[in-house]
């Protein structure tokens, strides 16, 4: 695990956008995994700005989103499809035919939709770079605590805490979905590279459990300890619960000097 601690959320977004930009420049047909929520918004704003400045293109990119609410139509502004269109897809040159969200229509069997989504990801050659946020309870995607560490795309019931955390995004009398289709933990782990972003003090406990706690289904993000190429980007607040903080900073100084001498040490995505 590479743990990078930056001053604030702006720097986290900038660092993440540079990593995505570097990938798109070396592989214009990259397969990107996207997350929704508040955390990646600043990243998407930077990607839009980089696209507008002519630095990057999404023309031949394929994307897979982590999750989608069940019982929410794609054109509902609360759907994750709408979120992605609004925050990124409508503002860049991506071909929407190549953007996938694990949406399950009312007449569809969620089990079949899950299997189909896994097949689509495999058919696209797998995800090169998966962007993740983390829930205050340690979830990734909507894999809530106690999710199987080998799970694949399926329906999950959201915990009361997640519903409470996300209630800020719904009006008082608006329907708030309690079920979602989500990539499983094994699906996420298949990505060649993981980029998890966490900002704000509310994530400090989950971040400490993810990085320094035991590997346990009770903190689904702790599975990233087993990923060969996981980069965790944190702002100071999200990093505030880490005990090993000095080491991460020290290791990054060493990594930078190694990179200056030898270039990128490991490129999981390759060429
Ligand atoms: C979103 C997702 C979730 C969020 C997490 C953090 O697609 O899968 O795991 O990343 O709930 O959400 P925010 O960023 O709103 O704190």
């Amino acid at each position: 695990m590479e743990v990078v601690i930056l001053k604030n959320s702006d720097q986290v977004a900038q660092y993440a956008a540079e990593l995505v930009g570097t990938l798109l420049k070396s592989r214009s047909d990259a397969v990107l995994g996207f997350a929704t929520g508040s955390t990646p918004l600043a990243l998407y704003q930077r990607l839009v700005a980089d696209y507008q400045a002519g630095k990057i293109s999404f023309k031949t990119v394929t994307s897979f989103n982590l999750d989608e609410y069940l019982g929410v139509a794609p054109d509902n502004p609360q759907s994750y499809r709408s979120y992605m269109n609004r925050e990124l897809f409508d503002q860049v040159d991506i071909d929407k035919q190549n953007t996938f969200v694990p949406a399950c229509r009312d007449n569809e069997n969620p089990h079949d939709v899950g299997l189909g989504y896994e097949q689509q990801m495999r058919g696209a050659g797998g995800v090169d770079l998966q962007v993740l946020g983390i829930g205050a309870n340690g979830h990734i995607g909507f894999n809530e605590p106690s999710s199987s560490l080998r799970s694949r795309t399926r329906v999950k019931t959201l915990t009361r805490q997640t519903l409470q955390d996300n209630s800020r995004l719904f009006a008082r009398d608006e329907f708030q979905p309690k079920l979602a289709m989500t990539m499983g933990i094994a699906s996420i782990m298949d990505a060649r590279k993981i980029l998890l972003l966490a900002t704000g003090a509310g994530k400090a406990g989950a971040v400490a459990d993810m990085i320094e706690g035991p590997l346990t289904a009770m903190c689904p993000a702790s599975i990233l300890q087993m990923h060969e190429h996981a980069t965790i980007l944190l702002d100071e607040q999200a990093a505030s619960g880490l005990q090993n903080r000095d080491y991460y900073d020290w290791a990054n100084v060493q990594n930078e000097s190694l990179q200056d001498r030898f270039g990128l040490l490991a490129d999981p995505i390759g060429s």
Side-chain angles (χ1 to χ4, degrees), residues 110-120 122 153 181:
H111 178 71
D112 296 340
V113 171
L115 287 178
Y117 203 62
E118 293 286 329
Q119 259 166 20
Q120 276 173 321
R122 269 198 301 277
T153 306
M181 291 287 299

Side-chain angles (χ1 to χ4, degrees), residues 34-40 66-67 80 132-135 139-142 166 168 203:
F34 286 128
T36 58
S38 305
T39 313
L66 282 170
D67 36 28
Y80 286 167
L132 293 177
I134 182 170
H139 73 209
I140 46 175
F142 275 135
N166 289 351
R168 70 187 192 280
K203 301 294 171 67

